[in-house]
Amino acid sequence: MPIQRQDAASALQEIANTEKQSHTAYHYQKAAPHLFLWGAIWLIGYAVTYLRPGWYPLWDVLIVLGFVGSFLISFRTRGKGSHASFGWRYAATFIAIFLFVTALFAILPPQSSLQIDAFFPLLIALWYVLIGLWTRGTRIALLGLALGLLTVGGYFWLQHYFLLWMAVVGGGALILGGFWLRKV
Amino acid sequence: MDTKTEQPDTVIHQPQRLKIMAALKALPAREQLEFVRLKTIVGATDGNLGAHIVTLEQSGYVEVEKDFIGKKPRTRVRLTRAGRRAFEDYIAFLREIVGQE
């Protein structure tokens, strides 16, 4: 039986919808473990430095662990079609971020530790918003937006409890976000 | 009324299999999709999806890989090169009917 134009158009629309859903689910599946990891790091890092202000160097250890952990997650979940240059591109991404932050702080030195505490969550929030926009991942973009708003809100209105706020709300939001992404 | 008398690829033409192919085509080349996730995207039951995947596999359009994560079985499906080409041909067929090409 011949296919009519309307049926063909409807099939093409169905294909487009399915492709979009699959594409989004694919990226969410890749992102979720990173959110669990970084949520745990935020939770531990901010909670410990709130309770023990002298333990700031703990962040150095946690950030290194986070980068190594993220690399291992990405390496394990990378597809068979991934390029062999994956490791180099991953390393180059973090070197670029490190250089950017170093240059930024040299040009605009932070006036307080609170500014640094708020800056990195904002940077990560921006990162999620951009990833969400460019991968059509609405949930990732919304999560980034929520993180940004929570950070700014805590910075201006909860300065005395900012670290605790970021531990519970920031770290918690990342972990919950990971579960949210996995639900697709 | 515009119609096309040439017959499409009957394997892909079935609506559920078309959705399976579309879901797999959306992934980067050689990437796999887990059975459970594919089931959610396609909106099929286990048995129904399994049967369609067997049909697609027999046609050489998809490859199935089964393994275990701990004690939990995992089935992953990916599009083959022949499957990708067949799907693209099918899309071209549909577009020709609609008049986009």
Side-chain angles (χ1 to χ4, degrees):
Chain A
M1 190 172 132
I3 298 173
Q4 295 185 355
R5 174 186 271 192
Q6 196 177 348
D7 296 333
S10 160
L12 284 171
Q13 186 57 52
E14 186 72 35
I15 288 166
N17 292 342
T18 306
E19 282 186 343
K20 183 177 182 297
Q21 196 183 351
S22 177
H23 176 86
T24 305
Y26 171 79
H27 285 287
Y28 285 176
Q29 196 180 8
K30 299 269 180 193
H34 294 278
L35 295 185
F36 292 137
L37 173 70
W38 286 99
I41 286 173
W42 282 30
L43 197 63
I44 295 166
Y46 283 114
V48 169
T49 46
Y50 174 75
L51 297 169
R52 297 274 185 274
W55 285 33
Y56 252 87
L58 175 70
W59 272 115
D60 297 335
V61 177
L62 289 175
I63 288 170
V64 170
L65 283 177
F67 283 168
V68 171
S70 271
F71 175 78
L72 292 175
I73 289 168
S74 301
F75 191 74
R76 284 191 60 187
T77 59
R78 78 194 194 287
K80 288 181 175 176
S82 297
H83 294 289
S85 62
F86 168 82
W88 286 110
R89 283 187 292 133
Y90 188 89
T93 301
F94 283 104
I95 289 169
I97 293 170
F98 175 78
L99 291 175
F100 165 74
V101 172
T102 305
L104 184 77
F105 283 177
I107 295 167
L108 293 169
Q111 304 298 311
S112 70
S113 62
L114 195 65
Q115 287 181 323
I116 299 176
D117 292 330
F119 170 75
F120 286 103
L122 279 179
L123 186 66
I124 289 166
L126 172 67
W127 177 259
Y128 287 152
V129 169
L130 295 180
I131 288 177
L133 287 174
W134 285 93
T135 62
R136 290 181 291 176
T138 312
R139 290 188 185 196
I140 295 178
L142 287 175
L143 185 63
L145 188 63
L147 273 182
L149 290 173
L150 290 170
T151 304
V152 172
Y155 181 83
F156 284 110
W157 293 301
L158 292 165
Q159 292 204 348
H160 293 301
Y161 301 101
F162 183 69
L163 297 179
L164 188 61
W165 169 260
M166 290 312 294
V168 177
V169 179
L174 286 175
I175 292 169
L176 289 176
F179 283 113
W180 191 34
L181 295 191
R182 282 210 324 192
K183 274 203 165 290
V184 177
Chain B
M1 187 177 287
D2 290 318
T3 57
K4 191 164 173 72
T5 49
E6 182 190 324
Q7 288 305 303
D9 184 328
T10 51
V11 176
I12 302 179
H13 188 58
Q14 201 282 339
Q16 290 276 14
R17 289 198 287 271
L18 181 62
K19 283 181 96 173
I20 295 170
M21 294 293 282
L24 295 173
K25 172 70 167 51
L27 307 182
R30 298 176 66 205
E31 283 282 7
Q32 295 168 311
L33 198 58
E34 283 191 33
F35 185 90
V36 283
R37 207 160 279 269
L38 189 57
K39 194 177 77 170
T40 308
I41 294 169
V42 174
T45 61
D46 280 358
N48 202 1
L49 180 61
H52 286 310
I53 286 175
V54 168
T55 304
L56 290 168
E57 192 179 18
Q58 285 169 348
S59 303
Y61 291 169
V62 302
E63 276 178 3
V64 179
E65 194 176 310
K66 294 183 180 185
D67 59 3
F68 284 87
I69 299 291
K71 288 182 178 176
K72 206 174 160 188
R74 178 177 65 168
T75 301
R76 289 177 295 171
V77 188
R78 78 171 180 89
L79 210 56
T80 61
R81 195 173 290 179
R84 195 168 285 268
R85 201 164 40 239
F87 185 71
E88 283 164 1
D89 288 345
Y90 185 79
I91 297 285
F93 171 81
L94 291 178
R95 283 186 177 153
E96 203 178 324
I97 296 171
V98 174
Q100 290 182 358
E101 285 185 356

